[in-house]
Amino acid sequence: MSDRVIEFREALREAMSQEMRRDEKVFLLGEEVAQYDGAYKVSRGMLEEFGPRRIIDTPISESGFAGMAIGAAMMGLRPIVEFMSWSFSLVAADPILNNAPKMLYMSGGQFGCPIVFRGNDGAGGQLGSTHSWCVEGMFSNVPGLKMAIPAFPDDAKGLLASAIRDDDPVFFLESERLLAMKGHVPEGDHYVPFGKALVRKPGTDVTIISFGRPVHFCLEAAEELEKEGISCEVIDGRTIRPLDLDTIVASVKKTNSCVVVDQSWSFGSPGSEVAAQVHAACFDDLDNHVMRVHSADVPTPYASNLEQEYLPNARRIAEAVRSALYVA
Amino acid sequence: MSAVTDTARASSGGRRPLADRTSATPDQLGHWLRQMLLIREFEVRTMQAYQDKKIGGFCHIYIGQEAVAVGCTAAVRPEDPIVTAYRDHGHALARGMAPKYCMAEMFGRIGGCAKGKGGSMHMFDKPNNLFGGHGIVGAQTPLGTGLGFATKYIDEVIEGGSNRHVTLCFLGDGALNQGAFYEAMNLAGLFDIPVIFVVENNGYSMGTSIDRGTTMANRIIAKGEGCGIAGHELEGMDVIDVYEGMKAIADGCRAESRPAMVDIRTYRFKGHSMSDPRKYRTREEEEHWETDDPITRLRDAMIEGGMIDEDGFKALNREIKGEVRESIKWAEASPEPDLSELYTDVYVERFGPYLGTSMPQIVTDAEENR
């Protein structure tokens, strides 16, 4: 592991900068990415290095600039589109859902769409309901797109570098709550392949699977449960499409119990999809049905205590694990 | 109002001798006549095939608007990108797509331009730089801005030269009221993108006349002016007017790397789609426009100019009928897509149930012929 420790946001920046140095077809556009240095400082300093032709400030016009970037990708360029928040991508639903993931299919293989949409996803900053979307619930439903959701700085760099090099549209979900997190990140080229989950903590009694920021809630819960003598295996999915079912199934066949933790709403979500697939693949191995922990099925509240309860927090995860293991 | 518009207005009707109206050669004029006849015949046979249930889904007929696609396409270079909406058969044929690929696409056959996966509203032709055929009203307009952004980026940033391209982005007057169109124009104006928003103004968005759905309906180029985009108005029933007007506009956009908006007045002789009884407009109005047929106009002008005679025109017509008949035979003989095609072209690479990509015949044929 690299000795160097940098922030999550720096890891994202490093992936973009390295790929932009490597390939002139790569450029970054979005609101405040250039002169402002990025609303969350992810792109700090990139304007100085690459200039305004490749680090492009756009007006607040998501439908327009997302669609424009898709047109550019059809011509063979490789745009990185920053949504200040994925919540704002909803006004660009037609281009990002109806154009980008379908272009290759509708053109019979003629026009692909090598594009990355990235930005903050998820609740936790008391932003209220409109700014707290976890879009993985809705958007992972669509075939033709890939979806990556890093939980640690090294994956932030490795997954984003892979996303930029990918020939298909990638929805890259970051968490504003993690941007200041520090971790060991390799210098130089670092690519994390899509579709490879990682066992973050080995264990024997129960498999906990999660994506993105809630992986940290799972690790917190696992630490608590360890004190009660419950050994949890925590899997970081890293990408939702493709989904690494093999790693999940191998773990569940070992532990015979499974809890899925997903920050999107429960109805038609990555969590429900993983649960369905685990039930199908591990029917005879499971000692209990798969338990799911999601954000509460309500609009995201503002009040701090309500928002903390709304999230799939460590307490709710621990309760689900005890329930899965029939521990009162 | 621009000089281009004044010229077009003055010349509309084609009363002046051909040589005074255009620099186009007799060969070019003959090619445009041929293309318009091809689109007309193709669409007539498309309607029949639709009624015979050989074509499914939504199907929008281009009859009446032929001069627009043909004149605009002739005004740009083959390497300039074109993107359009769902009434797209005319643009595909004008851009050079062989009618057999277009017909087979509508028949849902593997020989279709998109292997039968797109249908009538989604015609794509990479060898001819046609970037779709897009089914959602106005959705193609940000894409058009993006195509223009990309050619400019390639010309100026990657190759370090000056802008060499211009993109044609077609839309109907119905798309004027979509938010995406304003965002596309604002970005094009802001970033000096060489894209021309060509409004094929046929007066109706489905069954809603333009004055019932659009403010400034008598002067829609005001909407482009609001984004700092030069506006032009052209008459769309005469291919020479369209070509001459568009040529000047396209050359200007290319040289200055600037966008433009063009309001081209035209009329669809048929309904919005195949299921439209056209109760929202009068028979008198339709007859008025039908007397202004773009094919008749060019034919008469060419006869008057001694470039073709009645017999020559009939022979050309017979030849085109034969060509379209052949395209139907070819489409009918083309097999349905293999069921494995359900899982190709979803992702570029192969994984899980997804089989990667394979190119349609329109691309492999073009590579062989290169």
Side-chain angles (χ1 to χ4, degrees), chain A residues 60-74:
Chain A
I60 300 171
S61 181
E62 284 84 1
S63 177
F65 69 73
M68 182 181 89
I70 292 164
M74 290 175 76

Side-chain angles (χ1 to χ4, degrees), chain B residues 43-54:
Chain B
E43 294 292 60
V44 167
R45 299 297 300 254
T46 294
M47 288 192 293
Q48 288 171 357
Y50 192 90
Q51 276 149 1
D52 292 345
K53 302 198 187 309
K54 288 177 183 168

